[in-house]
């Protein structure tokens, strides 16, 4: 089974609108962390936001927020007030806890295009 | 913030040569470093995980004799692609973390092109 699933290969959003990028995960480890990375055309990976499995509140970082629904095993990224510079590839990732070797898994990514 | 420097950013070389890629953590101790390979339109593939002072753990299907990884210090890991061939052409990314509670910080990647 896929550890991280991103079902949206491509998304479009109007500038200044909000957009949600979906991510579901699969793990039996009670301790895990969820990440979102942005990868612009240059290829670098930019860390955006992190959510720990024991965190009670949803993580927020500026215009980024993570809609963490533990029971559904989903960790959707919400980008508010989209900007043209947000156009990029976005990867959801999960790191499992020490019981399972701290393995790191990435999703296949979602390509976001912001339309002016 | 934490910075990981990866060098070179781009390399073009002839088939049969060996290429070394460096990954340095600039302002934190990288206890663990990871090497990824990116395929077009696909996610990053984890190639190997290395802990400082220990042998790297390679993922299934990754040839350890082909992709030599050294992590001799807390700030430096190297990936050497030995006897590179055109099929090794790809985008290679390293990442590092201080400890298990910290997120990984990624390098900018190395675009390797083998002619």
């Amino acid at each position: 089974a896929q550890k991280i699933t991103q079902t949206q290969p491509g998304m479009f959003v109007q500038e200044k609108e909000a957009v949600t990028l979906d991510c579901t995960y699969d793990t039996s480890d009670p301790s895990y962390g969820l990440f979102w990375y942005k990868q612009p055309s240059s290829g670098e990976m930019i860390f955006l936001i992190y959510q720990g499995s024991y965190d009670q509140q949803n993580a927020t970082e500026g215009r980024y927020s993570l809609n963490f629904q533990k029971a559904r095993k989903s960790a959707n990224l919400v980008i508010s007030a989209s900007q043209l510079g947000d156009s990029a590839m976005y990867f959801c990732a999960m790191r499992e806890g020490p019981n399972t070797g701290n393995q790191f898994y990435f999703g296949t990514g979602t390509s976001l295009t912001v339309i002016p | 913030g934490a910075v990981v420097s990866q060098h070179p950013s781009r390399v073009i070389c002839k088939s049969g040569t060996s290429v070394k890629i460096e990954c340095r953590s600039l302002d934190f101790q990288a206890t663990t470093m990871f090497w990824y390979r990116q395929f077009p339109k696909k996610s990053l593939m984890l190639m190997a995980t290395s802990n400082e002072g220990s042998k790297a753990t390679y993922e299934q299907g990754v040839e350890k004799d082909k992709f030599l990884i050294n992590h001799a210090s807390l700030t430096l890991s190297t990936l050497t692609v030995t006897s590179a061939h055109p099929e090794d052409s790809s985008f290679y990314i390293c990442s590092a973390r201080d400890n298990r509670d910290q997120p990984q910080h990624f390098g900018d990647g190395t675009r390797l092109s083998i002619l």
Side-chain angles (χ1 to χ4, degrees):
Chain A
Q2 291 286 338
K3 285 287 188 179
I4 294 286
T5 302
Q6 293 180 254
T7 58
Q8 308 153 313
M11 288 283 287
F12 292 84
V13 63
Q14 202 75 38
E15 190 178 7
K16 300 182 183 179
E17 297 292 315
V19 63
T20 298
L21 306 183
D22 294 341
C23 174
T24 57
Y25 58 93
D26 180 37
T27 182
S28 58
D29 196 323
S31 176
Y32 54 89
L34 298 159
F35 308 76
W36 277 93
Y37 290 89
K38 172 184 177 181
Q39 186 185 51
S41 57
S42 61
E44 65 188 274
M45 295 286 282
I46 302 169
F47 167 69
L48 295 179
I49 196 167
Y50 170 82
Q51 180 87 43
S53 59
Y54 296 119
D55 294 343
Q56 295 296 314
Q57 293 184 329
N58 288 345
T60 60
E61 289 288 344
R63 294 187 297 111
Y64 304 107
S65 60
L66 200 151
N67 185 0
F68 180 45
Q69 298 189 37
K70 199 169 182 177
R72 294 185 179 183
K73 291 188 176 179
S74 74
N76 299 340
L77 176 70
V78 180
I79 304 175
S80 62
S82 298
Q83 301 172 356
L84 295 179
D86 293 334
S87 293
M89 195 78 169
Y90 288 80
F91 290 92
C92 178
M94 175 181 69
R95 185 190 69 218
E96 293 180 315
N99 291 337
T100 42
N102 292 110
Q103 181 64 53
F104 209 86
Y105 301 95
F106 280 88
T108 51
T110 295
S111 178
L112 176 66
T113 302
V114 180
I115 304 168
Chain B
V3 178
V4 173
S5 173
Q6 189 171 338
H7 177 81
S9 59
R10 186 177 180 94
V11 60
I12 302 172
C13 60
K14 293 181 179 179
S15 182
T17 58
S18 293
V19 180
K20 180 183 284 188
I21 302 170
E22 293 187 348
C23 183
R24 293 180 183 273
S25 60
L26 299 184
D27 59 355
F28 68 102
Q29 291 184 332
T31 306
T32 305
M33 284 190 169
F34 305 84
W35 287 95
Y36 297 88
R37 178 174 177 174
Q38 186 178 43
F39 293 92
K41 298 183 180 180
K42 291 184 179 180
S43 183
L44 296 176
M45 180 195 78
L46 178 63
M47 298 175 66
T49 303
S50 70
N51 291 299
E52 184 267 337
S54 302
K55 289 184 178 180
T57 301
Y58 289 81
E59 295 301 303
Q60 190 173 8
V62 179
E63 301 174 60
K64 60 180 66 177
D65 295 325
K66 173 76 171 176
F67 300 98
L68 301 178
I69 292 173
N70 182 278
H71 191 172
S73 76
L74 283 171
T75 60
L76 174 65
S77 176
T78 60
L79 166 66
T80 301
V81 183
T82 62
S83 187
H85 291 284
E87 59 265 29
D88 299 324
S89 298
S90 189
F91 192 77
Y92 293 86
I93 302 175
C94 73
S95 69
R97 70 171 185 227
D98 189 354
N99 57 61
R100 294 176 177 178
D101 295 325
Q102 298 299 317
Q104 288 181 334
H105 298 279
F106 284 79
D108 290 345
T110 297
R111 177 78 60 189
L112 175 63
S113 299
I114 308 299
L115 305 177

